[in-house]
Amino acid sequence: MAKKQFKAESKRLLDLMINSIYTHKEIFLRELISNGSDAIDKLYYKMLTEEGSSGINRDNFEIEIKTNKTDRILKVSDNGIGMTKEEMESNLGVIARSGSLDFREDAKDEEEDKKPKDQSDIDIIGQFGVGFYSAFMVSDQVTVISRAYGSDKAYKWESEGTAGYTIEEYDKKDVGTEITLHIKKNEKTKGSGNETSDAEDYDSYLEAYKIKQLVGRYSDYIRYPVKMKEGGEIKILNSMVPIWKQQKSKLKKEDYNDFYKQKFHDYVDPLKVIHSSVEGVTSYSALLFLPAHAPYNYYTKDYEKGLQLYSSGVMIMDKCADLLPDYFNFIKGVVDSQDLSLNISREMLQHDRQLKAIGGRLEKKIKNELIAMQKYDRENYEKFFKAFGLQLKYGIYENFGMNKEALQDLVMFWSSTEKKPVTFAEYVARMPEEQKYIYYASGESADKIDRMPQTELLKDKGYEIFYLTEDVDEFVIQIMQSYEGKEFKSVSAEDFELEQTEEEKKAAEEKEKENKELLGFMKESLEGKVSEVKLSQRLKSHPVCITAKGGLSLEMEKVLNQMPMADGNGMKAERVLEINSDHKIMKALSKAFEAGDEKGKEKVREYTKLLYDQALLMEGMSIEDPFAFANSVCELMK
């Protein structure tokens, strides 16, 4: 029989298909099963229009898989609508011609009164004819035997790839299509020592375990049973009805938890389940999960975000990153939509408009659910925030604060008064009327911050302070600047000041003038280490503290200098040494300085250096010369 040739452009496309279009060869089975499901849908639709819903039983439809290891044969058959000789020529002889797409377009043109009542249940997955040719990635010969519904003749289409194909009449009793693949032999590659290893394990596609694995991964939710004979029994390999398309009222918490743990390989139940269906310009079903803990590689470059993306029950992408913003990358789940425009490999989308629309809605849904959880299920929200709060903070800081409005109500920081994490809104709601700022302090831990000299007077006055303990925290506050009109103010900022009466302000100015020379001498004694020495308005019982001018705080200095890219010189905040004017150390300094002799000045000089090192240590910072510090302390003990 004379072999027919593919058209020139089709031949080139077939060669491209076999060698590079698909990322993984194993998806060939997904494509063949999807085509079988399409064929059954077409027949079901046709029978509905001709006979009505009472004339057919959907349970009679199925897709069957058979293997023969000896002959290296894999068969996928369906009892769908089948193909005529002309349809074989049209759909299989011209690559990228889609019978499914034509069918869908024809269905749209029918008059409303001629459509069956449940036509909405007709869902054609394949919109391109190319998927069938993925079979050539794993086989060196493909045979298609098909008999069309309403025809008494069957035909066989056969091809070994780009060389062409044949079509001949064939004997087939039942309506439907049978696709037979002659599986390639395993490829071997030679190593440096002439040893051979498997480059492609084609043998596995003849094994029952592999078939079950691929059906479970890619085609579990095809609406018709996918059957295979194993151990003398016919087994159904797919579940057919995805949990996200089932009625919520019929699902139990255990159903969701079991699905999550099995699907996403977790050993504990999720903290929250979000199950939603949306109808509109882009319709979809989504089943999302908030994990109870971060995966071991969450904060590494190996972690991949993304939701599993399905089109009408067929998995298109294992991790579709475009459906989630980075700051919600901890969310696991699935999204299923029949409105997606797929490209020829089903692995990428032709247009991202639908994805963006779905992603935008999911983002709002996730945020609303987290806000509700924060309000009504605080214990679990705090568990969630302990696991993933850092990611939300990164989300605020990244992209120059572009997402701060979306995330500011989700983040929490430790409260000096509540002794637990609280939100910005909760802090502001408790602020006294006279309080101008939202106060915060940074350090290694809440316990250490609580003992900082800068926090003592504020706490004494009953003001709440946010304790920032994560490296990113102060950068978040800096990028936000304010919340609901209230500016953030660090307790260690040089321009910090408590609300004072006019008398208090005047008294402070007088003290500063009286000690101007002493303070200037102390600054000189530190030899450029500080830009200023001043009397403090923030200290109560402690003698000294160190603060910073400008946008770079002391805590930020520490964080930046710990980063891998930090140079040897290091970042340095502009430091200010503050002295408690009411502390007895101030009296000792004043007495020594007022003596006016060199001995008194040397004493002030040594005291100043000691106080500076003391202030650094209280900030958790290293001192330049620990030996000199130790010697100075010993001198005081004489």
Side-chain angles (χ1 to χ4, degrees), residues 591-602:
K591 184 178 179 181
F593 187 71
E594 288 170 3
D597 56 14
E598 190 57 35
K599 187 177 179 180
K601 289 183 178 179
E602 183 59 29

Side-chain angles (χ1 to χ4, degrees), residues 442-501:
S442 303
E444 293 180 14
S445 67
D447 184 56
K448 287 185 177 180
I449 297 172
D450 200 52
R451 299 200 301 269
M452 285 174 59
Q454 296 93 320
T455 64
E456 187 179 18
L457 189 57
L458 273 175
K459 291 185 296 181
D460 190 54
K461 289 182 175 290
Y463 290 151
E464 187 173 6
I465 309 170
F466 276 132
Y467 290 171
L468 313 186
T469 58
E470 299 283 357
D471 287 350
V472 73
D473 286 354
E474 197 161 355
F475 294 93
V476 169
I477 297 298
Q478 293 273 359
I479 206 78
M480 284 191 61
Q481 297 182 330
S482 65
Y483 178 83
E484 291 188 0
K486 298 287 186 180
E487 291 183 24
F488 295 102
K489 180 68 72 174
S490 169
V491 301
S492 296
E494 184 272 337
D495 62 350
F496 173 91
E497 60 178 31
L498 285 171
E499 290 76 6
Q500 293 179 310
T501 64

Side-chain angles (χ1 to χ4, degrees), residues 25 37 39 44 65 77 92 95 150 156 160 169 173 210-211 246 252 265 311 329 350 452 488 525 538 543 565 613:
K25 288 183 169 66
S37 176
Y44 179 64
I65 300 175
S77 58
L92 304 185
I95 301 177
K156 180 175 79 170
E160 295 178 357
E169 194 169 323
K173 293 181 180 180
K210 185 68 171 182
I211 299 298
Q246 297 178 32
K252 298 178 182 178
H265 313 292
S311 177
N329 67 3
Q350 278 192 311
M452 285 174 59
F488 295 102
S525 300
R538 75 188 86 212
M565 299 302 291
D613 284 345

Side-chain angles (χ1 to χ4, degrees), residues 390-583:
L390 193 58
Q391 186 64 19
L392 298 180
K393 293 174 182 178
Y394 283 136
I396 290 177
Y397 177 68
E398 288 171 344
N399 299 317
F400 305 100
M402 185 175 68
N403 301 307
K404 65 181 181 181
E405 297 292 333
L407 298 175
Q408 62 184 8
D409 289 322
L410 296 176
V411 296
M412 299 193 298
F413 297 94
W414 190 267
S415 165
S416 62
T417 57
E418 302 301 302
K419 307 300 181 184
K420 65 179 183 179
V422 302
T423 66
F424 292 133
E426 290 164 344
Y427 181 106
V428 170
R430 289 191 290 267
M431 286 177 63
E433 189 175 339
E434 73 276 6
Q435 185 178 340
K436 291 170 58 178
Y437 302 108
I438 299 174
Y439 295 112
Y440 68 90
S442 303
E444 293 180 14
S445 67
D447 184 56
K448 287 185 177 180
I449 297 172
D450 200 52
R451 299 200 301 269
M452 285 174 59
Q454 296 93 320
T455 64
E456 187 179 18
L457 189 57
L458 273 175
K459 291 185 296 181
D460 190 54
K461 289 182 175 290
Y463 290 151
E464 187 173 6
I465 309 170
F466 276 132
Y467 290 171
L468 313 186
T469 58
E470 299 283 357
D471 287 350
V472 73
D473 286 354
E474 197 161 355
F475 294 93
V476 169
I477 297 298
Q478 293 273 359
I479 206 78
M480 284 191 61
Q481 297 182 330
S482 65
Y483 178 83
E484 291 188 0
K486 298 287 186 180
E487 291 183 24
F488 295 102
K489 180 68 72 174
S490 169
V491 301
S492 296
E494 184 272 337
D495 62 350
F496 173 91
E497 60 178 31
L498 285 171
E499 290 76 6
Q500 293 179 310
T501 64
E502 287 301 319
E503 289 184 2
E504 289 173 330
K505 285 182 181 180
K506 189 174 181 180
E509 290 171 1
E510 286 296 324
K511 282 186 179 180
E512 196 75 29
K513 287 179 182 179
E514 291 172 8
N515 293 281
K516 184 176 181 181
E517 288 187 30
L518 169 60
L519 298 173
F521 181 78
M522 293 176 71
K523 177 187 173 183
E524 291 175 11
S525 300
L526 291 172
E527 300 172 335
K529 292 182 176 67
V530 298
S531 63
E532 186 181 359
V533 177
K534 59 186 273 188
L535 298 181
S536 181
Q537 304 300 317
R538 75 188 86 212
L539 294 174
K540 182 183 177 185
S541 64
H542 292 275
V544 67
C545 71
I546 194 164
T547 60
K549 278 185 178 181
L552 184 63
S553 70
L554 296 170
E555 191 64 26
M556 292 167 75
E557 174 189 315
K558 285 190 284 185
V559 172
L560 292 172
N561 287 328
Q562 290 169 359
M563 296 178 74
M565 299 302 291
D567 58 35
N569 297 323
M571 302 285 289
K572 206 153 193 175
E574 186 178 352
R575 302 176 183 186
V576 174
L577 184 65
E578 297 193 12
I579 308 295
N580 185 348
S581 61
D582 297 324
H583 196 277

